[in-house]
Amino acid sequence: GDSVTQMEGPVTLSEEAFLTINCTYTATGYPSLFWYVQYPGEGLQLLLKATKADDKGSNKGFEATYRKETTSFHLEKGSVQVSDSAVYFCALSDRGYSTLTFGKGTMLLVSP
Amino acid sequence: ETGVTQTPRHLVMGMTNKKSLKCEQHLGHNAMYWYKQSAKKPLELMFVYSLEERVENNSVPSRFSPECPNSSHLFLHLHTLQPEDSALYLCASSQDRDRAPYGYTFGSGTRLTVV
């Protein structure tokens, strides 16, 4: 079945550091891939998405590229801010079966 | 901002109480979902509704009872809960159950505490 594996957290960074959160997936079809962000006390918000191989999703300075050859969708940001502190979830939606499969989430803590 | 509204935001209930969580979306979506998010655990999918019909029930105890009266509203009725049911309950919606090219839209959740 489908699965998503994320790096364990927390990831602790200083402000303006470079961020990478790894995500790899297993799917039977050709999935769409997503990153969601959850700020403290809130629900999940869609951060970015990619629907086919080599697509790059981007939003608010975050980027992720759909790599079919390595089945990966790593999240990156060049310079993190304290306000980026949150939990980040990688997810996939396999075509023909839309129930999203989520990773376990990675907590990011950014200090001033 | 979110197109999915959940009420209440916080709820404290005793183990013998009966309460309901409400979720509302006006996005024109046909599928709605309940998730449970507990501390240090992955997101747990509880129920899936498609066009007001329950299509998935992931071994959820009967003390949780969902209701979907129309495609815009989803309820989770709670009765005789246990302290381990304390969690953040998230509602989500998507265009269709079999097509979610834009993923899901989530509400802000109801923080439930069972005492």
Side-chain angles (χ1 to χ4, degrees):
Chain A
D2 295 347
S3 67
V4 175
T5 303
Q6 290 181 238
M7 60 191 292
E8 296 242 354
V11 173
T12 305
L13 295 173
S14 298
E15 207 164 24
E16 299 183 3
F18 185 86
L19 168 71
T20 300
I21 299 179
N22 290 339
C23 171
T24 57
Y25 68 88
T26 303
T28 53
Y30 300 93
S32 296
L33 301 173
F34 307 89
W35 277 102
Y36 282 84
V37 59
Q38 184 178 31
Y39 298 103
E42 297 295 324
L44 278 69
Q45 301 174 25
L46 180 63
L47 181 59
L48 54 83
K49 66 175 176 67
T51 57
K52 62 182 188 296
D54 301 324
D55 268 1
K56 177 185 283 188
S58 62
N59 186 24
K60 300 181 182 179
F62 290 90
E63 293 183 342
T65 301
Y66 189 141
R67 300 285 188 201
K68 188 167 181 284
E69 63 277 12
T70 54
T71 61
S72 65
F73 192 55
H74 304 321
L75 182 68
E76 297 181 335
K77 187 175 185 183
S79 176
V80 294
Q81 306 300 311
V82 172
S83 57
D84 294 326
S85 298
V87 180
Y88 293 81
F89 292 88
C90 185
L92 71 83
S93 171
D94 213 344
R95 296 206 172 98
Y97 181 69
S98 82
T99 306
L100 285 186
T101 300
F102 285 92
K104 293 184 178 180
T106 302
M107 179 178 288
L108 170 65
L109 300 171
V110 181
S111 56
Chain B
E1 68 182 22
T2 177
V4 177
T5 304
Q6 289 188 245
T7 53
R9 289 295 305 272
H10 301 274
L11 178 62
V12 179
M13 59 186 288
M15 289 189 282
T16 57
N17 291 159
K18 289 185 180 180
K19 296 286 184 184
S20 295
L21 310 185
K22 180 181 177 183
C23 176
E24 186 173 356
Q25 60 92 6
H26 296 287
L27 299 169
H29 289 173
N30 293 318
M32 297 186 78
Y33 311 82
W34 279 116
Y35 279 87
K36 177 183 178 183
Q37 187 178 34
S38 305
K40 302 193 188 301
K41 284 188 175 182
L43 279 168
E44 299 174 51
L45 178 63
M46 300 175 72
F47 300 104
V48 179
Y49 275 83
S50 176
L51 296 171
E52 304 147 46
E53 180 182 341
R54 190 192 310 180
V55 296
E56 197 165 329
N57 173 353
N58 286 350
S59 303
V60 179
S62 59
R63 57 186 183 268
F64 295 91
S65 175
E67 179 190 3
C68 188
N70 55 63
S71 59
S72 299
H73 293 87
L74 184 66
F75 295 89
L76 188 62
H77 303 301
L78 316 171
H79 64 98
T80 58
L81 294 191
Q82 304 298 312
E84 60 265 28
D85 297 322
S86 298
L88 181 68
Y89 288 84
L90 293 165
C91 175
S93 68
S94 68
Q95 183 176 344
D96 294 289
R97 178 177 181 259
D98 293 328
R99 287 177 59 239
Y102 305 107
Y104 294 177
T105 302
F106 281 84
S108 297
T110 295
R111 173 67 64 186
L112 173 67
T113 304
V114 181
V115 296

